[in-house]
Amino acid sequence: MRIAVVNGPNLQLLGQREPEIYGTSTLADINGELEASGKELGAQLEFFQSNSEGALLDYIAEAARRVDGFVVNPGALTHTSVALRDALVGVGRPFVEVHLSNPAARESFRQRSYLSGAALGVVSGFGPRSYRLGLEGLVAVLRAPQNPRASGRSD
Amino acid sequence: MRIAVVNGPNLQLLGQREPEIYGTSTLADINGELEASGKELGAQLEFFQSNSEGALLDYIAEAARRVDGFVVNPGALTHTSVALRDALVGVGRPFVEVHLSNPAARESFRQRSYLSGAALGVVSGFGPRSYRLGLEGLVAVLRAPQNPRASGRSD
Amino acid sequence: MRIAVVNGPNLQLLGQREPEIYGTSTLADINGELEASGKELGAQLEFFQSNSEGALLDYIAEAARRVDGFVVNPGALTHTSVALRDALVGVGRPFVEVHLSNPAARESFRQRSYLSGAALGVVSGFGPRSYRLGLEGLVAVLRAPQNPRASGRSD
Amino acid sequence: MRIAVVNGPNLQLLGQREPEIYGTSTLADINGELEASGKELGAQLEFFQSNSEGALLDYIAEAARRVDGFVVNPGALTHTSVALRDALVGVGRPFVEVHLSNPAARESFRQRSYLSGAALGVVSGFGPRSYRLGLEGLVAVLRAPQNPRASGRSD
Amino acid sequence: MRIAVVNGPNLQLLGQREPEIYGTSTLADINGELEASGKELGAQLEFFQSNSEGALLDYIAEAARRVDGFVVNPGALTHTSVALRDALVGVGRPFVEVHLSNPAARESFRQRSYLSGAALGVVSGFGPRSYRLGLEGLVAVLRAPQNPRASGRSD
Amino acid sequence: MRIAVVNGPNLQLLGQREPEIYGTSTLADINGELEASGKELGAQLEFFQSNSEGALLDYIAEAARRVDGFVVNPGALTHTSVALRDALVGVGRPFVEVHLSNPAARESFRQRSYLSGAALGVVSGFGPRSYRLGLEGLVAVLRAPQNPRASGRSD
Amino acid sequence: MRIAVVNGPNLQLLGQREPEIYGTSTLADINGELEASGKELGAQLEFFQSNSEGALLDYIAEAARRVDGFVVNPGALTHTSVALRDALVGVGRPFVEVHLSNPAARESFRQRSYLSGAALGVVSGFGPRSYRLGLEGLVAVLRAPQNPRASGRSD
Amino acid sequence: MRIAVVNGPNLQLLGQREPEIYGTSTLADINGELEASGKELGAQLEFFQSNSEGALLDYIAEAARRVDGFVVNPGALTHTSVALRDALVGVGRPFVEVHLSNPAARESFRQRSYLSGAALGVVSGFGPRSYRLGLEGLVAVLRAPQNPRASGRSD
Amino acid sequence: MRIAVVNGPNLQLLGQREPEIYGTSTLADINGELEASGKELGAQLEFFQSNSEGALLDYIAEAARRVDGFVVNPGALTHTSVALRDALVGVGRPFVEVHLSNPAARESFRQRSYLSGAALGVVSGFGPRSYRLGLEGLVAVLRAPQNPRASGRSD
Amino acid sequence: MRIAVVNGPNLQLLGQREPEIYGTSTLADINGELEASGKELGAQLEFFQSNSEGALLDYIAEAARRVDGFVVNPGALTHTSVALRDALVGVGRPFVEVHLSNPAARESFRQRSYLSGAALGVVSGFGPRSYRLGLEGLVAVLRAPQNPRASGRSD
Amino acid sequence: MRIAVVNGPNLQLLGQREPEIYGTSTLADINGELEASGKELGAQLEFFQSNSEGALLDYIAEAARRVDGFVVNPGALTHTSVALRDALVGVGRPFVEVHLSNPAARESFRQRSYLSGAALGVVSGFGPRSYRLGLEGLVAVLRAPQNPRASGRSD
Amino acid sequence: MRIAVVNGPNLQLLGQREPEIYGTSTLADINGELEASGKELGAQLEFFQSNSEGALLDYIAEAARRVDGFVVNPGALTHTSVALRDALVGVGRPFVEVHLSNPAARESFRQRSYLSGAALGVVSGFGPRSYRLGLEGLVAVLRAPQNPRASGRSD
């Protein structure tokens, strides 16, 4: 099983500046730990980060030929990019949306996600661990497909 | 470490009816597997389900004296209960909101959660596994507090 | 054929207070007349009223094992309870929403019904007779299923 | 007692096209059955259908001189015609709004009815039987006036 | 004169936890002081608190037979319960809405009160003293009815 | 302790016209009774009324040098004056907002108060007694500061 | 100078029914008085009323060839007919919108007029006299064109 | 009969500046012509203009003792002053709202009038003649009261 | 192949008035050119214009028996007629919506089309040529059905 | 005449994946057919596709020096890019907006186009043929300028 | 060149109270520095501050006869005064809107400025220096008129 | 002191096209003049323009290591890019938002700025001089930090 981990705008800043505030984990650190988690879960990971929506779309279209799913932290594009949603839907691979922080606890313009409605699942608020949890969930579902939306209840 | 797993209205219906549609996992099955996960993660779990908002509030106030955090699937109360949010905030314990399905892919009145803004994290869309992922995240954060909201970026 | 007649919050007040204003029909009177109607229509009725959302959900889950459909006057929960909708949808039995008064002629917060969108049909404004009309419609449809929503027109 | 049954735009299409989808009941069939129901209930019916709002208004103004009430399926005018509401209110006769389908389960622009707020009662979702139920309710209320709106509760 | 003092969800938590933050006044303390105030004002008080909307509705219906008015701190139900409003209106007794805090200074979802529009008066923001002020106002109006709404001005 | 009682536009009309409707209490009468209440509570009062927003702002800036707090009935400025809020916040004295009537029971444009969000407390609906209750609450809080907003619950 | 006086849906009902409520002035009476006013003002009038939007459009297109302006009481079409606006704008003749009642004092759906934004002027609330005032204003402007909209102020 | 003609903010600018654009009629000219009209109609007029809301409220309260009604061009206060509405309603005299221009053809923030809903009638768009028409309508209604709002139709 | 070209309200005005502004093409001219285009494309056309919504509905229901699709310029009914949408959907024939102008560049109330959501395609802004382009598209699709909506992307 | 055909994000995916669903036409195929159409119409075409908004803006600025107009399928940028609109307006060349699908039949966030209001015309819903129709319309208008927006009607 | 510097409500409070918070610059200090800046820029300044909207309007109308432009800090009137906008537009002099703070970073009711849409330019957030910058910009434009709005781009 | 001047999409078009409309100042000209201003103010400037959001983010992250603040004209990204806001906030350097034109006087979709709420200050409407004013303000604040937001008033 092969999974692409995609990070959107500004995530390259993680840990590189003001470590007393944001911690010392860089995106490379997070990716390293995630790679280890992937191995544990039997999934081979590849990583991509870009500040450019276009580059993200290019990557998704190209990577979709070889991966089984995506773990995506769309950064600020969460709230503004219909194209990112369209790309992920268009390539026909399940994806999980993850966030380090909990957007529901922030400004009102961060309450709308163009991606969530098309995602397999969403994980937010656990810091770097959100990636690990999202990956774990994606791998599990790819192994044993489910149909949780069939329910007519708000569970 | 002690964690309470709280299920809101209608979740007692899981798996008991129409198994060809909803699967054969009952809430008891899910709780059983979760208990095993808890042991693995070094957390002792207790379980509560009620269709009554009042009973849920009573339970949260009482359980908060002995637990370190909550994993909550609020069911339909997600969208309508300010009291549930107030109880969880009022008892001063971190909580994780979990959903079997992905509310973002459903009716517009399911897009608003009164709980998310006060939650430590949110996990949705992974079916029964959402509980396991939420538990895992909660345990990890309780062990190693973080501050993911300090960031001024939408990550 | 067995039908459950469910009444939500405050309907126990009917006719017991200020009969010069609300009339002298108590909920028991209405239920009595409705039982007679049921016999006429070949349906055995059972009755439940509660001021507690939780108790209503418990009842619906339990009654659904033995009844073919529900006639529901949700009272004020019409406008605030997603859980009631979820319970009725979750148990997989058709239900009819009835109101003594006509909510469309009242405050704006009474214009939204969480139940109508999932109901087989809605009857409002005919006083106690709304129950009888709703029951009659439910029984008829249970006897001869139809598909009125197939139309693309607003009829 | 004399009642006018009024059908708005496109209802003349009923049953004439694609009977495998919409059933074989034409508007004439429905009216025929309704006439029988009327006799049973002691009410003499007259029928009018038009695709033209203006013709409907002309009819209502003229018929109001001889009828005691109206059963109206406004079709798509439900959502767009203030004039239809004004005509029915203006002639001072009670009216019942009926729908074959359940508009609450359809597009958002079908959620607003200009007529409901002025109607005696509303019946929707029971297919052709909605007319019969609406007629029954109207006849009952004309025989025994009530005041269900006096209540300050959402029943 | 007899007055019921009704407290909604989570108010049982007052003073029992984290006294350094919320003060050491429990709900029992507040009720004790209020009882003394009642005596001073010539009113006999009774007290009720519940986390359950249904239990609150049951209590209001029952207590209304013996009390002249209600002082209600609806807690979070302020913003979500049409049923509580309907019960208080339905039993035909004047009521005063009180809040320890000032909801107008909080989240936007706390800006809407379903009760205020039906209340005799509202008192908020004075901490435990809000109850005393509300009681005082209620007793005064019950003794000397007034008609402050007759004014066409925003005073 | 010194308190300023400030009345906004149109309050000079009280009791001077149509006493059969509005009662015979003029603003002078109300102020007289309030002065007596002040003495009882150990507070010296001063009074100001103006129809001019500018004069009210001038007065607040000047009076703030000698008073400990304000009781304000902003009249119609409640709904339209950001400047009044800014003045009261700017001078750094606590203030209480009072209303004779209950704005929540009136037109929708009276539902928004620019002042409430910055007020210590709000009292509305008790007629002239609203002033007395607001004064009493203000005096009590000035004597024994509290922190009712610290609560994360909607109490 | 020639002016067309156009009345929309339901205005034919004026005065013909329940004269104790609506007065005894029929539309014919109003038109008669208006014709006299026209003569006084040196304007020859013609009259048209229809319940049909289409017939009104046909009339406007045809009458525009011979008249200098229109006095229009659009009735309920005020709020729902873009076509009526388009016809009046399309034929290039100034028009005045008149109403017997004052729509601003009525239901919220009567607050929007599709015609006002394109009208020369609007007169509402004066009963039958609204026509006379509108006619007077139209005649005056046709005689002495003005440009009141040039102002950047809200006068 | 005595009528007060009240002009709000910025109307003193009329005709004094840029006569090639706004015409050469000053407010004094308009008032002069209006006084003549008043005589013709048997009404004695008095005039007041102020840029200050407070001064307008003072004037209305004082003038109401001697006049039978008001003709008001509220200028920009149309859209922002609840106090002006309250004053006019509070003094219990009928008033007519007039505008030189047609606010419906201007910016969206000019579409809301706080006064219209309480006015006897509204006249807009006829330039200086709007005053004359409004006066004429007011005088006529004061002479022969009517009840145009009794109608349930949008006429 | 047979196609009906339907024109809504006010389109009969085209070219008949003020040719210096609107050009000299009448609707007859446009229809003539369109008939030629139809021949070229192998489609036989028929034409209908009416100012009456009802007449348009009557025509659509009747014409649907003999035509394979519709080219519709709904004029102002675009924004106000649910019935037109229902008729076109109800008769089960594909239709193309065309506009001479580009409604997106006009007033906000012209931004909503009730028809677009049910149309096969939409062409706007090309003047009389919009008809030709819409016809061409309709004929092509009728010859070679496609499924462009299957895409999950915003193309 | 020279025309640029511009395709936005994700359109490179066309036909390359899941041909059983999206058909086998790639963007290259569509462009090939379009080039032939261009020749037929006497227009020389050039083609550009990018997933990057920035690259699209660069291209438009540069191409505008040599082309007479643009045919643009903005993909998801339709709903999110003000910059694309600004670029097209900024370079002063007419453009036509085309869509393979009909956005009006899709999610609500696809109902807003930032480009339509500035476009010469819009064509949507005809699959690959939308490009051909848009090109045809653009060429025709470039050859014979028109002024369809001069009309005050919604045609 | 002569420029009027106008300050709205509450700005007289600057620096006079709580200097540890607001700094020690009074409005007089700011005006003093600004006067020096004016000399540097070759502009003679005059200053006006009032808490009264009416006084501000009076001043603007009068000062406009002798000044070439205005620098306005409208204080809270920014968000509530259409009259201030109308006065500034009405006198036909360019004006610049300045703010000490950045309203975009504050409460939602401070996000709307009635003045900005009519201002030559806006400067906010630079503390007392905002005045200097606004003055500088105004003087520069008065010397060398420009047309920055001609652009169709969002620059 | 080192300041980066950042220009967003389409600003490279300035002055290069249609100089009779937009003036002959190119972005290079503006930057040249700005560099001179910088020298005067003791600030060394660097310049960056890109049509690509991603390239802008890359630049900001990289430049932040060497500059003390940013002057940003975000062009159309003002209204659509949360990522730009996040980058500027994320790098922890103050920034000033500048606009050549005054967005408040343009389309409604230009009224929302994602950047303003996080900016130190905003300058708009002064054409090329907006850059100079913004730079001057930024330099001044960097030299003498202030706290203008501490005020609770709308100044």
Side-chain angles (χ1 to χ4, degrees), chain C residues 31-43 45 132 135-136:
Chain C
N31 286 349
E33 288 169 34
L34 206 51
E35 194 157 34
S37 293
K39 275 183 192 148
E40 232 178 85
L41 297 161
L45 305 191
R132 153 87 200 202
L135 176 64
E136 201 178 323

Side-chain angles (χ1 to χ4, degrees), chain D residues 50-100:
Chain D
S50 176
N51 282 339
S52 157
E53 185 191 59
L56 292 162
L57 303 183
D58 290 347
Y59 172 75
I60 288 164
E62 186 255 350
R65 294 181 190 144
R66 65 183 175 267
V67 304
D68 299 286
F70 293 87
V71 172
V72 185
N73 179 344
L77 294 180
T78 306
H79 320 301
T80 63
S81 177
V82 174
L84 195 53
R85 174 195 181 114
D86 283 359
L88 287 160
V89 170
V91 299
R93 293 282 173 272
F95 72 95
V96 168
E97 177 186 345
V98 299
H99 297 278
L100 294 161

Side-chain angles (χ1 to χ4, degrees), chain L residues 13 16 18 24 34 37 44 55 63 67 93 127 133 142-143 148:
Chain L
L13 292 173
Q16 295 174 333
E18 302 172 273
T24 52
L34 205 50
S37 293
Q44 194 178 350
V67 304
R93 294 282 173 272
L133 298 173
L142 283 170
R143 292 233 165 86

Side-chain angles (χ1 to χ4, degrees), chain I residues 9-141:
Chain I
N10 296 316
L11 282 148
Q12 89 287 4
L13 291 174
L14 273 179
Q16 295 176 333
R17 290 179 40 83
E18 301 170 276
E20 71 287 3
I21 296 179
Y22 303 116
T24 52
S25 296
T26 62
L27 187 55
D29 297 339
I30 292 176
N31 286 349
E33 289 168 35
L34 206 51
E35 195 156 34
S37 293
K39 273 180 194 151
E40 232 178 83
L41 296 162
Q44 194 178 351
L45 306 191
E46 61 176 89
F47 299 94
F48 187 76
Q49 189 275 336
S50 176
N51 281 339
S52 156
E53 184 192 58
L56 291 162
L57 303 183
D58 289 347
Y59 172 75
I60 288 164
E62 186 254 350
R65 295 181 189 144
R66 65 182 174 268
V67 303
D68 299 285
F70 293 88
V71 171
V72 185
N73 180 345
L77 294 181
T78 306
H79 320 302
T80 63
S81 177
V82 174
L84 195 53
R85 174 193 180 116
D86 283 358
L88 287 160
V89 170
V91 299
R93 295 281 174 273
F95 72 95
V96 168
E97 177 185 346
V98 300
H99 296 278
L100 293 161
S101 69
N102 177 359
R106 303 180 62 189
E107 298 97 328
S108 66
F109 61 77
R110 296 196 206 265
Q111 309 298 310
R112 178 185 63 180
S113 166
Y114 281 122
L115 275 78
S116 296
L120 171 74
V122 182
V123 181
S124 63
F126 299 98
R129 193 161 282 264
S130 291
Y131 291 92
R132 154 85 200 204
L133 298 173
L135 176 63
E136 201 177 321
L138 176 59
V139 167
V141 172

Side-chain angles (χ1 to χ4, degrees), chain D residues 125-144:
Chain D
F126 299 98
R129 191 161 285 262
S130 291
Y131 290 92
R132 154 83 199 204
L133 298 173
L135 175 63
E136 201 178 323
L138 176 60
V139 167
V141 173
L142 284 170
R143 291 232 167 84

Side-chain angles (χ1 to χ4, degrees), chain I residues 79 100 106 136 153-154, chain J residues 79 106 110 153-155:
Chain I
H79 320 302
L100 293 161
R106 303 180 62 189
E136 201 177 321
R153 297 187 309 270
S154 203
Chain J
H79 321 303
R106 303 182 60 191
R110 295 194 208 268
R153 299 186 309 268
S154 202
D155 312 328

